[in-house]
Amino acid sequence: MITAESWGWRHAGRKAWAVRNLDLTIDPGERVLLLGASGSGKSTRLPALAGVLGSADEGESTGTMLVKGKHPTRQKGLVALVQQDPEAAVVLHRVGDDVAFGLENLQVPPDQIWPRVSESLEAVGLDVALNRPTSALSGGQKQRLALAGAIAMHAEVLLLDEPTANLDPEGIDEVRGAVGRLVADRRTTLIVVEHRVQVWADLVDRVVVLARDGGLLADGPPLEVFHRHRDALLEAGVWVPGAPLPVDGDGFVPRDHPTAPDSADFADPVARNHHERLLTTADLTIGRHAQHPVQRHLDLTIPAATSTVVTGPNGVGKSTLALTLAGLLEPLSGEVIAAPAIRPPAARRSLMRRVSPPHPITWRSRDLLTRIGTVFQQPEHQFVAATVADEIAVGLRALGTPTAEVTARTDELLEVLHLTRLARANPFTLSGGEKRRLSVGTVLATQPAVILLDEPTFGQDRNTWAELVRLVRASVDEGRAVVSVTHDQAYLSVLAQHRIALTGGPDRHDDEATTPGRAGAPR
């Protein structure tokens, strides 16, 4: 079905190859879990197999990659791809039309299209109306939508790139079950790229691990690979089932700090007392549109020097809450109130409205830089520079930071985030995991008092996951409030000091303090 001989790919303008020296054969009906460190080329290989990697202007290839003996670009309809970024797969305005798009392009008879659309949506658990706007879906719902579109095509090869990364536990089970049923008859060849190894280990026949420097690190049946190559896989950052987490959760509790000055204007607005509430909400109603609130009557607190996590099912409003707390989305009603310690000085006017120091939604972007920093669910939405290093430095330069300090801080973050070798690369050419780490680095650079992270561990291998956790802990130890929207159970086990659990209706939520337990279970 699939053959690769000395195949490699290098993005335009990059010295290093994303993949090189790949020799691999995959038989029809085989189920393969493709693993490797973040940045090892897993997500490059899947678009190549689907024939959508790019033209000569976007990069260069070497060797051969064939699907059923032909170049992938000549096998229309044979391969279905679910990309790492679900938004990249959304084409049309309505859910039903989006799923039907691939079928129409394959000239499926009209009387077969809509039954297949409904069946695939049901299979992935996306229970929304066919005419629901795709723009109204959450990130996790868009992930299910993309998978539904791929399943509906009945392709011979199904390629899945991090298909459960943004899903709640129920969604993970539904997607895993849907894929399992699809490949049960052995007519579909399956290749999955996923850091959640445990989800797929009992479904696949084979585990293939890419080496960072090219070629393969391991290849064979799952149990054999995880047993025989355990130490090498752990060193490479693979999430080996049964291995303890690389960061222990014991003892991570809020520490006492000196009280921060109660002033509206000081250089480093970090509240040093974990008893202080940096942000509070009063009877807050949130939503992207006034006609469709996703949560009502929220009375929440974000304490200083504490790691707060926001959890709940897909579509319940977690990302909407984060954007509202960050002063980037207008409350439908109620208010978000900043503590005096982090309020900016009052200004005359900004963008045709007066700045109200207690209310972040009225602040200028410069005020937010050192007070509330946000990492979006889609990293690409916040990239503005041509290189990775410049992206990290944007905020520091906007604050007028001396050049030597900008360089030192940028170099430090590049090293910690394992991005030094990519300092001159274009941010949009990075892997999904690398983009996520870069987006976190852009916020950490300006050291804001409150940091909001939406799915911060998306696409991370075991090693880079541990570095992100340590960065969050360091920020909390310095007195900052970190708020993370996450489904990552391992992350919750070591960083859920305070938990906001949003539930399935716009009138239900819980706000509670928790103590993380011992982090010994596999991710």
Side-chain angles (χ1 to χ4, degrees):
M1 177 62 73
I2 295 169
T3 57
E5 295 182 1
S6 300
W7 185 80
W9 172 265
R10 178 168 59 186
H11 293 285
R14 297 273 288 272
K15 292 183 178 180
W17 289 80
V19 183
R20 63 179 179 177
N21 301 327
L22 180 62
D23 294 297
L24 189 64
T25 299
I26 297 175
D27 294 329
E30 204 167 12
R31 307 167 184 172
V32 178
L33 179 60
L34 187 61
L35 303 177
S38 176
S40 62
K42 305 182 297 299
S43 296
T44 299
R45 185 167 182 265
L46 296 193
L49 284 172
V52 296
L53 183 57
S55 64
D57 293 335
E58 298 175 70
E60 63 176 303
S61 63
T62 183
T64 60
M65 175 85 76
L66 302 177
V67 179
K68 267 196 167 181
K70 297 181 179 181
H71 193 275
T73 57
R74 298 172 58 195
Q75 294 287 30
K76 179 182 177 182
L78 190 72
V79 179
L81 168 66
V82 176
Q83 301 181 69
Q84 193 173 52
D85 177 7
E87 287 204 0
V90 176
V91 179
L92 297 177
H93 176 66
R94 294 181 296 188
V95 166
D97 293 341
D98 196 77
V99 177
F101 179 76
L103 302 179
E104 292 170 342
N105 276 274
L106 296 175
Q107 299 181 337
V108 173
D111 62 333
Q112 297 180 23
I113 290 179
W114 290 104
R116 282 165 66 168
V117 168
S118 297
E119 289 169 5
S120 62
L121 287 170
E122 182 179 358
V124 301
L126 186 54
D127 185 18
V128 299
L130 294 179
N131 63 354
R132 183 173 179 82
T134 51
S135 60
L137 300 180
S138 71
Q141 289 173 321
K142 287 177 181 175
Q143 207 157 18
R144 298 191 198 209
L145 176 67
L147 182 58
I151 288 176
M153 291 173 62
H154 294 179
E156 292 186 43
V157 180
L158 180 61
L159 309 175
L160 306 179
D161 195 351
E162 299 280 0
T164 68
N166 289 330
L167 297 183
D168 55 47
E170 182 181 354
I172 293 173
D173 291 341
E174 288 174 340
V175 165
R176 164 62 173 74
V179 174
R181 290 188 294 273
L182 180 67
V183 303
D185 59 6
R186 292 288 177 177
R187 294 181 180 179
T188 304
T189 303
L190 174 68
I191 302 178
V192 182
V193 169
E194 178 74 87
H195 285 292
R196 286 182 168 131
V197 174
Q198 192 64 46
V199 175
W200 303 97
D202 64 345
L203 177 66
V204 299
D205 312 306
R206 181 178 172 192
V207 171
V208 175
V209 186
L210 299 183
R212 183 181 289 278
D213 57 354
L216 300 182
L217 181 61
D219 182 4
L223 291 178
E224 177 183 322
V225 166
F226 293 135
H227 176 71
R228 178 178 297 181
H229 302 279
R230 184 179 188 277
D231 291 343
L233 296 180
L234 290 174
E235 184 178 353
V238 174
W239 288 96
V240 176
L245 290 177
V247 175
D248 198 335
D250 286 354
F252 184 55
V253 295
R255 298 180 181 178
D256 291 331
H257 296 277
T259 302
D262 186 8
S263 169
D265 188 16
F266 55 96
D268 185 11
V270 176
R272 297 292 181 180
N273 187 336
H274 68 259
H275 297 296
E276 182 176 2
R277 301 172 178 180
L278 292 188
L279 295 175
T280 60
T281 71
D283 198 25
L284 180 68
T285 296
I286 60 173
R288 307 296 178 106
H289 307 285
Q291 299 82 2
H292 301 289
V294 291
Q295 291 287 332
R296 294 189 179 97
H297 310 305
L298 297 175
D299 295 303
L300 308 172
T301 63
I302 304 301
T306 301
S307 170
T308 296
V309 296
V310 180
T311 62
N314 291 128
V316 80
K318 301 182 300 297
S319 296
T320 302
L321 174 61
L323 291 173
T324 307
L325 291 173
L328 300 176
L329 188 63
E330 188 92 36
L332 298 184
S333 65
E335 56 185 351
V336 176
I337 305 167
I342 64 170
R343 293 175 186 174
R348 292 180 179 177
R349 284 191 178 275
S350 176
L351 297 177
M352 304 303 293
R353 64 180 175 186
R354 187 176 298 279
V355 172
S356 172
H359 302 112
I361 189 61
T362 69
W363 296 358
R364 302 168 302 172
S365 58
R366 183 180 178 86
D367 296 329
L368 289 171
L369 272 176
T370 57
R371 291 170 172 85
I372 305 178
T374 307
V375 172
F376 298 149
Q377 191 174 54
Q378 304 299 331
E380 297 89 345
H381 290 182
Q382 63 194 89
F383 292 160
V384 296
T387 71
V388 169
D390 286 342
E391 192 68 51
I392 290 179
V394 164
L396 293 170
R397 289 172 178 156
L399 293 172
T401 308
T403 300
E405 188 177 336
V406 171
T407 300
R409 180 63 174 158
T410 299
D411 290 345
E412 176 190 4
L413 284 170
L414 288 171
E415 183 68 25
V416 170
L417 295 168
H418 299 266
L419 295 174
T420 299
R421 64 186 179 86
L422 299 168
R424 308 313 305 169
N426 187 306
F428 291 94
T429 66
L430 304 184
S431 72
E434 290 166 344
K435 288 177 182 175
R436 169 54 70 216
R437 297 200 299 281
L438 174 58
S439 65
V440 172
T442 62
V443 170
L444 292 176
T446 58
Q447 300 178 316
V450 181
I451 301 172
L452 292 113
L453 309 174
D454 198 342
E455 298 290 356
T457 57
F458 172 86
Q460 300 309 308
D461 63 39
R462 189 175 185 273
N463 296 337
T464 57
W465 180 93
E467 290 295 346
L468 281 174
V469 168
R470 293 187 185 106
L471 279 173
V472 171
R473 286 186 168 184
S475 295
V476 172
D477 286 342
E478 291 168 356
R480 294 175 173 82
V482 179
V483 182
S484 307
V485 173
T486 185
H487 294 295
D488 185 343
Q489 296 302 309
Y491 189 89
L492 292 172
S493 71
V494 297
L495 284 173
Q497 294 176 292
H498 177 245
R499 185 166 183 159
I500 297 172
L502 298 182
T503 50
D507 298 302
R508 298 177 59 194
H509 69 278
D510 295 305
D511 183 5
E512 59 184 17
T514 61
T515 301
R518 183 169 181 79
R523 186 167 184 259

